[in-house]
């Protein structure tokens, strides 16, 4: 039996707005722009995708699952994401970590990693 990772579902107060933000941040394409389920993927036929679905409750605690990204230039990427509307957030990280913790416009944490060790 095979198992393929289709998508990660992210609850959102406004799936279209949050999905659009992530589409811009990642440079991905929209595969479903329904107001209730907004889905983006790296390319039309490439998995996995991110599916933003409507939820009535707001975010109240730190995510139990978050995304990590490793750009070519961490500091430049952090500045770009901040300009798009991300914000710095504290989840207990130390000040000397090689990554930066940000939150998307609805408060979902994600990390922008530094250079790969030994890289």
């Amino acid at each position: 039996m095979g198992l393929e990772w289709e998508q990660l579902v992210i609850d959102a107060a406004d799936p279209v707005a949050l999905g659009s933000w992530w589409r811009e941040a990642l440079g991905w394409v929209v595969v479903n722009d329904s107001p209730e389920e907004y889905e983006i993927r790296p390319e039309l036929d490439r998995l996995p995708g991110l599916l933003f679905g409507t939820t009535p409750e707001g975010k109240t605690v730190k995510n139990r699952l978050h995304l990590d990204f490793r750009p070519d230039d961490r500091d430049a990427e952090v500045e770009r994401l901040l300009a798009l509307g991300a914000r710095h957030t504290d989840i207990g990280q130390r000040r000397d970590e090689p990554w930066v913790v940000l939150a998307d416009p609805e408060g979902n944490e994600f990390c922008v990693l530094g250079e790969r060790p030994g890289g």
Side-chain angles (χ1 to χ4, degrees), residues 18-84:
L18 189 59
S20 296
W21 187 87
W22 278 103
R23 181 201 52 76
E24 178 71 22
L26 296 172
W28 287 12
V29 298
V30 177
V31 295
N32 180 5
D33 63 358
S34 161
E36 295 82 26
E37 290 189 343
Y38 188 93
E39 185 179 359
I40 62 173
R41 293 183 186 171
E43 297 171 12
L44 209 49
D45 296 322
R46 187 169 154 215
L47 298 174
L50 295 176
L51 177 74
F52 300 86
T54 304
T55 187
E57 58 275 338
K59 183 178 177 317
T60 58
V61 297
K62 176 179 154 286
N63 293 2
R64 295 197 56 184
L65 174 74
H66 71 262
L67 301 171
D68 285 348
F69 300 99
R70 190 176 306 277
D72 293 332
D73 182 333
R74 184 198 70 189
D75 294 340
E77 191 61 24
V78 166
E79 289 306 313
R80 185 184 76 83
L81 292 164
L82 291 170
L84 287 175

